[in-house]
Amino acid sequence: MRNFIDRKLQFPWAETQTVPPSDLLVLDKTDTSVTLQWSAIDFTDVPGRYRVWSRRSGDDNYSLSGTSLSKLDTQWTVSGLSPGQSYDFAISSESDSHSANQNIVESEPSESVSATPGEPFEVVRIANQRSEEHTSEFQSPD
């Protein structure tokens, strides 16, 4: 579908859309905070920002936890969380009004991720074919 639209419009359509960011993950956490990371959207020609949403796992509604300064930001730390309480997080993107659209446009939220502050990450070391060592962190499954 995207290729069809690009051919019809004769420009990369996706690069002009305010879409949810992708690749949301938990980068780090402490007893009372969670640091999130995501991939920036393609549409950065028009100024905008990301909105970071959180909720206690099991709750129905998300609350706004913060707003980045630009669409080039790809990390945010949500603080003031309760240790041992599981939280869900999602990110939406927002584009300011501009000459082609006089409205502020906000995307749907991204896929969510969950994290529990205070639970440790496990460290896994992986060696690639050149015998270089890399460290990755992840939350162990419950």
Side-chain angles (χ1 to χ4, degrees):
M1 180 66 133
R2 183 179 286 182
N3 290 336
F4 172 78
I5 293 171
D6 288 350
R7 281 194 310 275
K8 287 292 185 186
L9 296 177
Q10 298 181 346
F11 63 86
W13 174 81
E15 293 176 14
T16 65
Q17 301 304 304
T18 303
V19 297
S22 60
D23 306 320
L24 177 61
L25 59 85
V26 175
L27 184 63
D28 194 16
K29 60 184 179 171
T30 68
D31 285 344
T32 59
S33 69
V34 171
T35 299
L36 304 168
Q37 182 177 357
W38 58 90
S39 295
I41 65 171
D42 290 336
F43 184 41
T44 57
D45 292 347
V46 170
R49 64 212 49 81
Y50 296 103
R51 292 174 166 270
V52 180
W53 302 92
S54 66
R55 69 179 179 193
R56 289 177 180 252
S57 295
D59 285 358
D60 291 331
N61 298 317
Y62 282 89
S63 297
L64 182 63
S65 292
T67 304
S68 72
L69 296 177
S70 89
K71 287 192 260 180
L72 300 178
D73 297 329
T74 58
Q75 289 184 12
W76 188 268
T77 298
V78 180
S79 56
L81 304 174
S82 299
Q85 170 66 52
S86 180
Y87 292 87
D88 302 325
F89 303 94
I91 311 291
S92 60
S93 63
E94 185 176 88
S95 295
D96 292 339
S97 60
H98 53 92
S99 61
N101 187 343
Q102 296 182 8
N103 299 303
I104 294 174
V105 178
E106 185 172 354
S107 75
E108 293 292 318
S110 66
E111 295 287 325
S112 65
V113 295
S114 298
T116 304
E119 286 187 356
F121 276 108
E122 291 185 27
V123 176
V124 176
R125 298 190 185 283
I126 302 169
N128 66 17
Q129 292 177 342
R130 288 183 248 152
S131 299
E132 296 172 2
E133 193 172 272
H134 298 278
T135 301
S136 298
E137 297 185 61
F138 67 94
Q139 181 178 357
S140 59
D142 294 297

